[in-house]
Amino acid sequence: MTVPLSILDLAHIGKGETARDSFAASVKMAQLAERWGYRRIWYAEHHNMPTIASSATSVLIAHVAAHTSTIRLGAGGIMLPNHSPLTIAEQFGTLATLHPGRIDLGLGRAPGSDQKTMRALRRDPSSSDSFPQDVLELQAYLRGDSRIPGVDAVPGKGTDVPLYILGSSLFGAKLAALLGLPYAFASHFAPQALEDAVKLYRREYQPSEQHPEPYVIAGVGVIAADTTEEAGALFEATKRARVVQMVGRGRTFTDEEIDLLLDSPAGQQVLTMLRYTAVGTPGEVRDYLDRFTERAQADELIVVSSAPGRDAWLRSLELVAEVSELVPA
């Protein structure tokens, strides 16, 4: 690989599992990823989702950081409109103080939830309108140059936790360019605007003191196996599970009914989310990632193991690390 590889861990709660099982699996994945040479692992803030355990994102990062030594850990991302900038500065300032040089903070403006959950979070639907100002307020707390006189983040002040703007549209690209911050595009589930967003970001980038040059991280799915046929079977199982989860909404279907779902307009829409997925043997996956890197004009890839089941996830990540000749930090 010509660029670093990182991991997005969705902290999945599998069938018959508890959140505690998910946390143990996240620790194991991070310890292995550290050994294999991945640069960083990010966890995303989601709420009211029975299959995702990363709602208290900073707490999970702290837990994994305490059980690893060198790999970078962070949020990909914190949905900033759900929180006050001061609270997030304090949380991530605490993390950075406990684990110097290892903490990242990716920021998004989506709710990470549905409308009912937004109300339960006490979030105003218009709160995303202040996202650019909130990012600047947060950045100032972390630099130790508060925009609110007499208010500092303790811990947090002076930690300069690296910030990243996350996005799946042109809005995030434009904001990241304006603020001179790295940009992470969610092409692993929202592929449509990838190329336009990256072009806009690079074209309009305003150099900053911390980041003289633009920096793009692109998300991509991976399913690597020992044979092309095995990887293809895993991908087919992934597609079927994804459609049932997102279209079926908890219902049980026969195989024939799942076939119909896959062919339906709603099913096809779900499948477009998997457009950028590398599937095959380690060599085939590496070649795909090289092509994707060029297409996305990416400086780093953050991979999501799309395979069904933890063993298949870990095997995919191991095979990709081996063939990409990653070097542990």
Side-chain angles (χ1 to χ4, degrees), residues 7-8 10 104 112 123 141 198 228 232 243 249 254 294 302 304:
I7 296 171
L8 177 63
L10 295 176
D104 301 326
R123 173 181 170 175
Y141 285 133
V198 172
T228 303
V243 168
R249 299 187 182 279
T254 65
E294 184 175 352
I302 189 160
V304 185

Side-chain angles (χ1 to χ4, degrees), residues 221-238:
V222 294
I223 298 180
D226 294 311
T227 67
T228 303
E229 292 74 21
E230 182 184 355
L234 289 169
F235 189 40
E236 182 64 24
T238 295

Side-chain angles (χ1 to χ4, degrees), residues 31-93:
Q31 291 172 337
L32 290 171
E34 186 172 76
R35 185 188 313 164
W36 293 333
Y38 285 92
R39 171 170 287 190
R40 70 183 96 235
I41 301 178
W42 280 357
Y43 307 89
E45 177 187 347
H46 292 286
H47 297 280
N48 194 31
M49 294 188 179
T51 60
I52 297 180
S54 52
S55 55
T57 316
S58 59
V59 180
L60 178 56
I61 293 169
H63 177 63
V64 177
H67 290 83
T68 51
S69 301
T70 57
I71 193 166
R72 297 192 67 89
L73 300 166
I78 289 293
M79 300 299 106
L80 191 54
N82 291 344
H83 313 274
S84 74
L86 177 60
T87 297
I88 297 304
E90 291 169 341
Q91 290 179 5
F92 279 80

Side-chain angles (χ1 to χ4, degrees), residues 52-202:
I52 297 180
S54 52
S55 55
T57 316
S58 59
V59 180
L60 178 56
I61 293 169
H63 177 63
V64 177
H67 290 83
T68 51
S69 301
T70 57
I71 193 166
R72 297 192 67 89
L73 300 166
I78 289 293
M79 300 299 106
L80 191 54
N82 291 344
H83 313 274
S84 74
L86 177 60
T87 297
I88 297 304
E90 291 169 341
Q91 290 179 5
F92 279 80
T94 299
L95 288 168
T97 301
L98 291 170
H99 307 283
R102 296 183 57 203
I103 303 300
D104 301 326
L105 177 50
L107 301 168
R109 67 180 183 125
S113 60
D114 55 28
Q115 295 295 319
K116 290 181 180 179
T117 309
M118 281 178 60
R119 290 194 290 273
L121 288 166
R122 303 297 191 268
R123 173 181 170 175
D124 187 314
S126 66
S127 55
S128 62
D129 295 343
S130 62
F131 180 65
Q133 292 75 30
D134 288 346
V135 172
L136 290 173
E137 183 180 335
L138 170 60
Q139 186 179 49
Y141 285 133
L142 295 171
R143 285 180 174 172
D145 184 23
S146 175
R147 295 164 68 94
I148 302 178
V151 178
D152 287 317
V154 183
K157 181 178 181 179
T159 56
D160 270 330
V161 177
L163 300 184
Y164 300 76
I165 299 297
L166 276 59
S168 57
S169 68
L170 301 186
F171 176 89
K174 197 171 187 69
L175 179 63
L178 178 65
L179 299 181
L181 290 173
Y183 179 53
F185 190 87
S187 36
H188 61 288
F189 74 85
Q192 292 86 347
L194 169 64
E195 293 177 67
D196 288 342
V198 172
K199 287 178 183 176
L200 184 152
Y201 170 70
R202 291 192 177 279

